[in-house]
Amino acid sequence: MAMAKNTLTITDNRTGKQYELPIENDTIRAADLRQIKVRPDDFGMMTYDPAFTNTASCKSKITFIDGDRGILRYRGYPIEDLAEHSNYLETAYLVVKGELPDRKRFEMWEHNVKVHTMVHENIKKFMEGYRYDAHPMGMLVGTIGALSTFYPDAASIHDLESRRLQTRRLIGKLPTLAAFAYRHSRGLPYVYPDNELSYTGNFLSMLFRMTELKYKPDPKLEHALDVLFILHADHEQNCSTNAMRSVGSSQVDPYSATAAAVAALYGPLHGGANEAVVRMLTEIGSVERIPELIKQVKAGERRLMGFGHRVYKNYDPRAKILKKAAYEVFEVTGANPLIKIALELERIALQDDYFVSRKLYPNVDFYSGIIYQAMGFPTAMFPVLFAIPRTSGWMSQWAEMVRDEEQKIARPRQVYIGEGERHYTPIDKRPVPTMREEAVAEEI
Ligand SMILES: CC(C)(COP(=O)(O)OP(=O)(O)OC[C@H]1O[C@@H](n2cnc3c(N)ncnc32)[C@H](O)[C@@H]1OP(=O)(O)O)[C@@H](O)C(=O)NCCC(=O)NCCS
């Protein structure tokens, strides 16, 4: 039997010519298609891939997802293992540096992150300038962007020590900025970090401490938040990570690139889905009304929020872990009445052919919102709680991009479908548009 060749042969039926392209990691290089031309002066063949649904933009060693089998691993470690045995800061070390730390390295890392939990007093003043009802995510976008003006050394992106320093700074400061944004929206004084507490314990203290001298976080809530942070540390090339890499590819400092990533996360299709789940469950209101909702979903009138995923075509492994964590939280907070509706909705959907045949399973957002709500977070804080742990993923992905010699400034192509060349007509000589033409112009 002839040896199988790791190549792809393409026949261009316009010319009858054949091309043999190398295959590496089950991909072909899009640039290899450029040799496919009808005339020598053609631009050459491109791929058309709106929303990058089938284009790998990088090689990465950070996160592995097998959506069909419901697998998520950071640096090779299954998410279930990390959620059960690790803590967020250790997982962040793993994501950023590639290996789990030994005790000495972990203690140094913890110290190095915690020394950066304070923010410059000017940052505090800057945040005070936001309106009283400012959305905390909007505040975060602006404030993280502003950090670049405080740390001009961050512009040295090719300097390893500078990259490490900015990574520790950002992971250290995110909980402080997030907590300040929350306190601002509540009209409460800002609480300074308490570095004797754990990463999540300190965050809870900065959020909820009132007049007590020392805030003691509930260990179960502290642990549940830590698990949530582990689950959100990275998720390979999602919208915000793509923004981080794309903006970072211009060689701007990492604070500016992170502000872009947070802005991407602000969108309802990315960081806002768990809020939509809580809204939907609240609207359903009681288990008896679930069949009615399922009917509407099957008729294509609406979507079941928290179900389905671009990548996972199986149960999202993070949703499984969160379903368990929810009960841990409820032991402290009392059950969120929405959980009953969620469980029944899941039970019905997983038996229904509409959902089974489309491989629609609960995703991470199905349970995270219910937990956050039980813990007392307003819905506007949900995407902020996503941004804090994702900072380790963003910084790790950014550093991988900066070091990757194959990467350049990200600049996709387009398929131009507009007018051909036209010549300028003076304003008084232009034809009067018809009503339809005017309407079309308004639609734009
Ligand atoms: C996440 C999401 C955007 C992924 O979308 P996608 O991979 O582009 O999948 P598609 O939109 O092509 O959907 C495929 C089919 O499943 C259906 N579908 C997808 N998600 C659905 C949902 N949540 N409820 C009902 N039907 C859904 C679509 O209508 C489509 O059906 P059709 O083939 O009969 O037209 C989508 O599943 C969704 O909108 N989910 C709800 C929002 C959500 O939970 N987002 C958080 C993601 S972490």
Side-chain angles (χ1 to χ4, degrees):
M1 202 178 80
M3 269 284 281
K5 276 168 84 184
N6 214 13
T7 60
L8 177 74
T9 301
I10 298 176
T11 307
D12 185 346
N13 294 319
R14 299 170 302 178
T15 58
K17 274 197 208 160
Q18 279 204 340
Y19 302 84
E20 190 175 350
L21 311 184
I23 297 175
E24 193 194 342
N25 303 315
D26 289 333
T27 58
I28 56 162
R29 284 186 180 254
D32 282 348
L33 297 172
R34 290 279 294 280
Q35 58 186 302
I36 304 177
K37 297 179 178 192
V38 175
R39 289 177 307 277
D41 61 345
D42 274 359
F43 182 78
M45 183 75 78
M46 293 190 297
T47 56
Y48 174 59
D49 189 11
F52 306 137
T53 56
N54 198 38
T55 295
S57 63
C58 62
K59 290 178 183 163
S60 180
K61 292 182 177 169
I62 303 168
T63 292
F64 172 78
I65 300 177
D66 181 335
D68 289 331
R69 292 195 289 153
I71 294 174
L72 168 62
R73 296 183 200 132
Y74 300 154
R75 304 283 188 180
Y77 292 95
I79 194 69
E80 294 83 358
D81 245 17
L82 295 168
E84 189 164 346
H85 303 295
S86 185
N87 58 63
Y88 172 68
L89 268 192
E90 185 185 60
T91 299
Y93 183 102
L94 172 71
V95 168
V96 167
K97 293 179 182 279
E99 295 295 338
L100 283 169
D102 58 23
R103 186 164 297 283
K104 205 176 119 226
R105 284 194 175 82
F106 176 72
E107 282 167 7
M108 208 190 303
W109 166 251
E110 190 178 31
H111 169 81
N112 286 345
V113 169
K114 282 187 171 176
V115 293
H116 291 295
T117 50
M118 297 289 278
V119 293
H120 196 289
E121 280 295 289
N122 279 0
I123 283 282
K124 208 179 90 184
K125 291 209 184 87
F126 179 86
M127 293 185 87
E128 277 163 5
Y130 282 106
R131 279 183 65 94
Y132 71 95
D133 58 352
H135 194 292
M137 204 55 180
M139 291 178 73
L140 208 58
V141 174
T143 315
I144 292 175
L147 285 181
S148 81
T149 66
F150 287 78
Y151 305 112
D153 57 312
S156 314
I157 62 159
H158 295 296
D159 176 33
L160 173 64
E161 274 318 308
S162 171
R163 286 202 300 269
R164 286 181 172 162
L165 176 60
Q166 315 318 327
T167 303
R168 298 192 296 257
R169 272 184 182 148
L170 262 168
I171 296 175
K173 287 185 199 315
L174 247 286
T176 314
L177 299 180
F180 281 14
Y182 169 76
R183 303 279 295 197
H184 182 88
S185 66
R186 293 271 145 144
L188 291 165
Y190 302 162
V191 175
Y192 287 112
D194 177 350
N195 285 347
E196 282 177 10
L197 296 173
S198 71
Y199 188 77
T200 40
N202 168 50
F203 179 50
L204 288 168
S205 162
M206 291 189 291
L207 287 165
F208 299 129
R209 189 171 140 198
M210 300 306 270
T211 52
E212 63 271 45
L213 283 180
K214 175 109 185 150
Y215 181 85
K216 288 202 188 76
D218 185 289
K220 283 194 173 137
L221 297 186
E222 190 179 356
H223 176 250
L225 197 57
D226 211 53
V227 170
L228 276 152
F229 279 10
I230 291 172
L231 301 186
H232 286 90
D234 194 55
H235 212 230
E236 52 122 305
Q237 306 312 312
N238 53 84
C239 179
S240 56
T241 302
N242 184 54
M244 181 85 194
R245 280 182 174 258
S246 185
V247 173
S249 76
S250 73
Q251 302 195 351
V252 73
D253 69 89
Y255 298 103
S256 303
T258 306
V262 178
L265 192 60
Y266 197 174
L269 293 186
H270 192 3
N274 49 11
E275 181 182 341
V277 173
V278 167
R279 234 185 295 119
M280 178 187 75
L281 295 175
T282 310
E283 184 200 319
I284 298 173
S286 74
V287 169
E288 292 73 47
R289 292 187 58 199
I290 294 175
E292 190 187 319
L293 173 94
I294 299 271
K295 216 165 116 194
Q296 289 170 355
V297 171
K298 286 164 73 171
E301 289 162 21
R302 60 190 295 181
R303 287 202 162 193
L304 192 54
M305 299 317 289
F307 263 69
H309 195 277
R310 175 62 65 74
V311 181
Y312 294 114
K313 301 301 172 197
N314 201 323
Y315 210 105
D316 182 336
R318 301 167 300 172
K320 258 188 212 151
I321 299 166
L322 282 188
K323 198 170 162 182
K324 229 175 97 201
Y327 287 98
E328 206 181 306
V329 169
F330 298 160
E331 276 175 33
V332 182
T333 62
N336 183 336
L338 297 184
I339 189 77
K340 253 194 183 166
I341 302 169
L343 288 174
E344 181 61 6
L345 197 55
E346 180 186 318
R347 194 189 64 77
I348 294 177
L350 293 184
Q351 290 176 354
D352 192 304
D353 189 54
Y354 175 94
F355 298 93
V356 175
S357 64
R358 289 171 178 76
K359 297 187 174 165
L360 299 170
Y361 294 88
N363 59 47
V364 69
D365 297 308
F366 194 63
Y367 287 106
S368 62
I370 302 176
I371 299 180
Y372 293 146
Q373 197 186 49
M375 289 176 80
F377 290 108
T379 47
M381 276 299 281
F382 292 4
V384 175
L385 293 162
F386 190 153
I388 298 171
R390 186 53 60 86
T391 302
S392 57
W394 288 330
M395 290 305 281
S396 172
Q397 298 270 354
W398 166 77
E400 191 177 60
M401 184 269 304
V402 170
R403 290 193 316 266
D404 185 345
E405 286 176 359
E406 277 197 296
Q407 291 291 341
K408 294 180 174 171
I409 184 163
R411 204 304 185 184
R413 298 278 178 184
Q414 64 166 13
V415 177
Y416 177 72
I417 56 165
E419 303 282 352
E421 187 181 9
R422 303 198 268 186
H423 293 286
Y424 186 85
T425 330
I427 195 160
D428 298 325
K429 299 227 166 104
R430 289 173 210 163
V432 179
T434 62
M435 271 167 71
R436 173 70 198 136
E437 281 165 344
E438 261 180 1
V440 169
E442 271 170 25
E443 276 164 29
I444 296 164

Short mmCIF file of all heavy atoms in Angstrom, two decimals, residues 268-270 273 277 297 302-311 313 316 318 354-355 358 360 363-365, ligand 1:
data_model
loop_
_atom_site.label_atom_id
_atom_site.label_comp_id
_atom_site.label_asym_id
_atom_site.label_seq_id
_atom_site.Cartn_x
_atom_site.Cartn_y
_atom_site.Cartn_z
N PRO A 268 -23.07 41.48 25.50
CA PRO A 268 -24.01 40.48 26.03
C PRO A 268 -23.81 39.08 25.47
O PRO A 268 -24.19 38.12 26.11
CB PRO A 268 -25.39 41.04 25.62
CG PRO A 268 -25.12 42.03 24.56
CD PRO A 268 -23.74 42.57 24.78
N LEU A 269 -23.20 38.94 24.29
CA LEU A 269 -23.02 37.59 23.75
C LEU A 269 -21.84 36.88 24.40
O LEU A 269 -21.64 35.69 24.21
CB LEU A 269 -22.78 37.65 22.23
CG LEU A 269 -23.95 38.12 21.40
CD1 LEU A 269 -23.63 37.98 19.92
CD2 LEU A 269 -25.22 37.35 21.74
N HIS A 270 -21.01 37.61 25.13
CA HIS A 270 -19.81 37.00 25.70
C HIS A 270 -19.96 36.94 27.22
O HIS A 270 -20.34 35.92 27.78
CB HIS A 270 -18.60 37.82 25.24
CG HIS A 270 -17.27 37.19 25.49
ND1 HIS A 270 -17.11 35.96 26.04
CD2 HIS A 270 -16.01 37.66 25.26
CE1 HIS A 270 -15.83 35.68 26.14
NE2 HIS A 270 -15.14 36.70 25.68
N ALA A 273 -24.01 36.52 29.17
CA ALA A 273 -24.99 35.45 28.98
C ALA A 273 -25.58 34.97 30.31
O ALA A 273 -26.76 34.63 30.37
CB ALA A 273 -24.37 34.29 28.22
N VAL A 277 -29.50 34.42 31.57
CA VAL A 277 -30.06 33.20 32.16
C VAL A 277 -30.90 33.56 33.39
O VAL A 277 -32.04 33.11 33.53
CB VAL A 277 -28.93 32.22 32.57
CG1 VAL A 277 -29.50 31.03 33.34
CG2 VAL A 277 -28.16 31.73 31.35
N VAL A 297 -39.38 27.96 22.51
CA VAL A 297 -38.01 27.74 22.02
C VAL A 297 -38.06 26.84 20.79
O VAL A 297 -37.40 27.12 19.77
CB VAL A 297 -37.13 27.11 23.13
CG1 VAL A 297 -35.78 26.68 22.58
CG2 VAL A 297 -36.92 28.10 24.28
N ARG A 302 -37.69 31.96 20.57
CA ARG A 302 -36.64 32.45 21.48
C ARG A 302 -35.63 31.35 21.74
O ARG A 302 -35.84 30.21 21.36
CB ARG A 302 -37.25 32.95 22.80
CG ARG A 302 -38.03 31.89 23.56
CD ARG A 302 -38.79 32.48 24.69
NE ARG A 302 -37.87 33.02 25.70
CZ ARG A 302 -38.27 33.60 26.82
NH1 ARG A 302 -39.55 33.73 27.08
NH2 ARG A 302 -37.41 34.03 27.70
N ARG A 303 -34.55 31.72 22.40
CA ARG A 303 -33.51 30.73 22.71
C ARG A 303 -33.52 30.40 24.19
O ARG A 303 -33.90 31.24 25.02
CB ARG A 303 -32.14 31.28 22.33
CG ARG A 303 -31.99 31.30 20.84
CD ARG A 303 -30.56 31.31 20.40
NE ARG A 303 -30.54 30.91 19.00
CZ ARG A 303 -29.47 30.57 18.33
NH1 ARG A 303 -28.29 30.61 18.92
NH2 ARG A 303 -29.54 30.20 17.08
N LEU A 304 -33.09 29.22 24.48
CA LEU A 304 -32.95 28.83 25.87
C LEU A 304 -31.58 29.32 26.32
O LEU A 304 -30.55 28.79 25.89
CB LEU A 304 -33.05 27.30 25.97
CG LEU A 304 -33.21 26.68 27.33
CD1 LEU A 304 -34.40 27.28 28.06
CD2 LEU A 304 -33.43 25.16 27.18
N MET A 305 -31.57 30.37 27.13
CA MET A 305 -30.29 30.97 27.51
C MET A 305 -29.49 30.01 28.40
O MET A 305 -30.07 29.30 29.22
CB MET A 305 -30.51 32.30 28.24
CG MET A 305 -31.22 33.36 27.41
SD MET A 305 -30.63 33.47 25.70
CE MET A 305 -29.02 34.18 25.93
N GLY A 306 -28.17 30.01 28.21
CA GLY A 306 -27.33 29.10 28.99
C GLY A 306 -27.25 27.71 28.39
O GLY A 306 -26.67 26.81 28.96
N PHE A 307 -27.87 27.56 27.21
CA PHE A 307 -27.79 26.28 26.50
C PHE A 307 -27.09 26.49 25.17
O PHE A 307 -27.28 27.51 24.52
CB PHE A 307 -29.20 25.73 26.25
CG PHE A 307 -29.62 24.73 27.28
CD1 PHE A 307 -29.87 25.11 28.58
CD2 PHE A 307 -29.75 23.38 26.94
CE1 PHE A 307 -30.25 24.20 29.54
CE2 PHE A 307 -30.13 22.45 27.89
CZ PHE A 307 -30.37 22.85 29.19
N GLY A 308 -26.31 25.49 24.77
CA GLY A 308 -25.64 25.57 23.48
C GLY A 308 -24.32 26.31 23.60
O GLY A 308 -24.12 27.14 24.51
N HIS A 309 -23.41 25.99 22.74
CA HIS A 309 -22.09 26.62 22.75
C HIS A 309 -21.46 26.44 21.39
O HIS A 309 -21.67 25.42 20.74
CB HIS A 309 -21.22 25.95 23.83
CG HIS A 309 -20.01 26.75 24.19
ND1 HIS A 309 -18.86 26.69 23.45
CD2 HIS A 309 -19.78 27.62 25.19
CE1 HIS A 309 -17.97 27.49 24.00
NE2 HIS A 309 -18.50 28.08 25.05
N ARG A 310 -20.72 27.45 20.95
CA ARG A 310 -20.06 27.37 19.66
C ARG A 310 -19.10 26.18 19.61
O ARG A 310 -18.98 25.50 18.58
CB ARG A 310 -19.32 28.69 19.38
CG ARG A 310 -18.49 28.74 18.13
CD ARG A 310 -19.27 28.56 16.85
NE ARG A 310 -20.24 29.59 16.54
CZ ARG A 310 -19.96 30.82 16.11
NH1 ARG A 310 -18.72 31.19 15.96
NH2 ARG A 310 -20.92 31.66 15.84
N VAL A 311 -18.43 25.90 20.72
CA VAL A 311 -17.41 24.84 20.71
C VAL A 311 -17.92 23.54 21.35
O VAL A 311 -17.72 22.46 20.81
CB VAL A 311 -16.14 25.33 21.44
CG1 VAL A 311 -15.07 24.25 21.43
CG2 VAL A 311 -15.58 26.60 20.80
N LYS A 313 -20.20 20.66 22.05
CA LYS A 313 -21.39 19.98 21.53
C LYS A 313 -21.68 18.81 22.46
O LYS A 313 -22.11 17.74 22.06
CB LYS A 313 -21.17 19.52 20.08
CG LYS A 313 -20.83 20.69 19.14
CD LYS A 313 -21.93 21.78 19.08
CE LYS A 313 -21.48 23.01 18.31
NZ LYS A 313 -22.31 24.20 18.55
N ASP A 316 -21.01 21.05 28.89
CA ASP A 316 -19.84 21.90 29.20
C ASP A 316 -19.27 21.42 30.55
O ASP A 316 -19.99 21.41 31.55
CB ASP A 316 -20.35 23.35 29.29
CG ASP A 316 -19.26 24.38 29.57
OD1 ASP A 316 -18.22 23.99 30.13
OD2 ASP A 316 -19.46 25.56 29.23
N ARG A 318 -17.51 22.70 32.68
CA ARG A 318 -17.55 23.72 33.73
C ARG A 318 -18.94 23.78 34.37
O ARG A 318 -19.09 24.04 35.55
CB ARG A 318 -17.15 25.08 33.15
CG ARG A 318 -15.75 25.07 32.55
CD ARG A 318 -15.49 26.31 31.73
NE ARG A 318 -16.43 26.44 30.61
CZ ARG A 318 -16.54 27.48 29.82
NH1 ARG A 318 -15.76 28.52 30.04
NH2 ARG A 318 -17.40 27.51 28.84
N TYR A 354 -35.48 17.98 20.33
CA TYR A 354 -35.01 19.24 19.74
C TYR A 354 -33.60 19.56 20.24
O TYR A 354 -32.70 19.89 19.46
CB TYR A 354 -35.97 20.39 20.11
CG TYR A 354 -35.50 21.75 19.63
CD1 TYR A 354 -35.93 22.27 18.42
CD2 TYR A 354 -34.60 22.52 20.39
CE1 TYR A 354 -35.49 23.50 17.97
CE2 TYR A 354 -34.16 23.75 19.95
CZ TYR A 354 -34.60 24.25 18.74
OH TYR A 354 -34.16 25.47 18.30
N PHE A 355 -33.40 19.45 21.55
CA PHE A 355 -32.11 19.81 22.15
C PHE A 355 -31.07 18.71 21.93
O PHE A 355 -29.91 18.99 21.64
CB PHE A 355 -32.28 20.11 23.65
CG PHE A 355 -33.20 21.26 23.89
CD1 PHE A 355 -34.56 21.07 24.11
CD2 PHE A 355 -32.73 22.57 23.85
CE1 PHE A 355 -35.42 22.13 24.30
CE2 PHE A 355 -33.59 23.65 24.02
CZ PHE A 355 -34.94 23.43 24.25
N ARG A 358 -29.71 18.66 18.36
CA ARG A 358 -28.85 19.82 18.07
C ARG A 358 -27.66 19.91 19.01
O ARG A 358 -26.91 20.89 18.98
CB ARG A 358 -29.65 21.12 18.15
CG ARG A 358 -30.62 21.27 17.00
CD ARG A 358 -31.55 22.46 17.20
NE ARG A 358 -32.45 22.65 16.08
CZ ARG A 358 -33.53 21.90 15.83
NH1 ARG A 358 -33.83 20.90 16.62
NH2 ARG A 358 -34.29 22.14 14.78
N LEU A 360 -27.52 20.50 22.21
CA LEU A 360 -27.60 21.69 23.06
C LEU A 360 -27.60 21.26 24.52
O LEU A 360 -28.55 20.64 24.99
CB LEU A 360 -28.87 22.49 22.74
CG LEU A 360 -28.97 23.02 21.30
CD1 LEU A 360 -30.36 23.59 21.03
CD2 LEU A 360 -27.91 24.08 21.05
N ASN A 363 -24.36 25.29 29.36
CA ASN A 363 -22.99 25.80 29.34
C ASN A 363 -22.68 26.47 30.68
O ASN A 363 -23.53 26.53 31.57
CB ASN A 363 -22.79 26.76 28.14
CG ASN A 363 -23.74 27.95 28.19
OD1 ASN A 363 -23.88 28.59 29.22
ND2 ASN A 363 -24.39 28.24 27.07
N VAL A 364 -21.48 26.99 30.81
CA VAL A 364 -20.99 27.53 32.09
C VAL A 364 -21.93 28.60 32.66
O VAL A 364 -22.09 28.73 33.87
CB VAL A 364 -19.55 28.07 31.94
CG1 VAL A 364 -19.50 29.31 31.08
CG2 VAL A 364 -18.88 28.30 33.26
N ASP A 365 -22.58 29.35 31.77
CA ASP A 365 -23.41 30.46 32.22
C ASP A 365 -24.73 30.02 32.83
O ASP A 365 -25.41 30.80 33.48
CB ASP A 365 -23.69 31.41 31.05
CG ASP A 365 -22.42 32.03 30.54
OD1 ASP A 365 -21.69 32.59 31.36
OD2 ASP A 365 -22.14 31.94 29.33
C1 LIG B 1 -23.88 29.96 22.27
C2 LIG B 1 -24.51 30.08 20.89
C3 LIG B 1 -24.43 31.54 20.42
C4 LIG B 1 -23.76 29.17 19.91
O1 LIG B 1 -24.31 29.30 18.68
P1 LIG B 1 -23.82 28.53 17.38
O2 LIG B 1 -22.74 27.59 17.65
O3 LIG B 1 -23.55 29.58 16.36
O4 LIG B 1 -25.06 27.64 17.02
P2 LIG B 1 -26.24 28.04 16.05
O5 LIG B 1 -26.77 29.38 16.38
O6 LIG B 1 -25.78 27.76 14.65
O7 LIG B 1 -27.36 26.96 16.45
C5 LIG B 1 -27.47 25.64 15.91
C6 LIG B 1 -28.93 25.17 16.07
O8 LIG B 1 -29.27 25.08 17.45
C7 LIG B 1 -30.29 26.02 17.79
N1 LIG B 1 -29.89 26.66 19.05
C8 LIG B 1 -28.64 27.04 19.42
N2 LIG B 1 -28.64 27.50 20.68
C9 LIG B 1 -29.91 27.43 21.10
C10 LIG B 1 -30.54 27.76 22.31
N3 LIG B 1 -29.84 28.27 23.33
N4 LIG B 1 -31.86 27.56 22.42
C11 LIG B 1 -32.58 27.04 21.40
N5 LIG B 1 -32.04 26.69 20.22
C12 LIG B 1 -30.72 26.89 20.07
C13 LIG B 1 -30.31 27.02 16.65
O9 LIG B 1 -31.59 27.61 16.52
C14 LIG B 1 -29.93 26.15 15.50
O10 LIG B 1 -31.06 25.40 15.15
P3 LIG B 1 -31.42 25.12 13.59
O11 LIG B 1 -30.29 24.26 13.09
O12 LIG B 1 -32.74 24.45 13.60
O13 LIG B 1 -31.43 26.47 12.94
C15 LIG B 1 -25.99 29.63 20.96
O14 LIG B 1 -26.06 28.27 21.35
C16 LIG B 1 -26.83 30.51 21.89
O15 LIG B 1 -27.34 31.53 21.46
N6 LIG B 1 -27.01 30.10 23.16
C17 LIG B 1 -27.72 30.87 24.13
C18 LIG B 1 -26.86 31.99 24.67
C19 LIG B 1 -25.78 31.50 25.59
O16 LIG B 1 -26.03 30.71 26.50
N7 LIG B 1 -24.55 31.98 25.39
C20 LIG B 1 -23.44 31.65 26.25
C21 LIG B 1 -22.39 30.91 25.54
S1 LIG B 1 -21.06 30.55 26.65
#
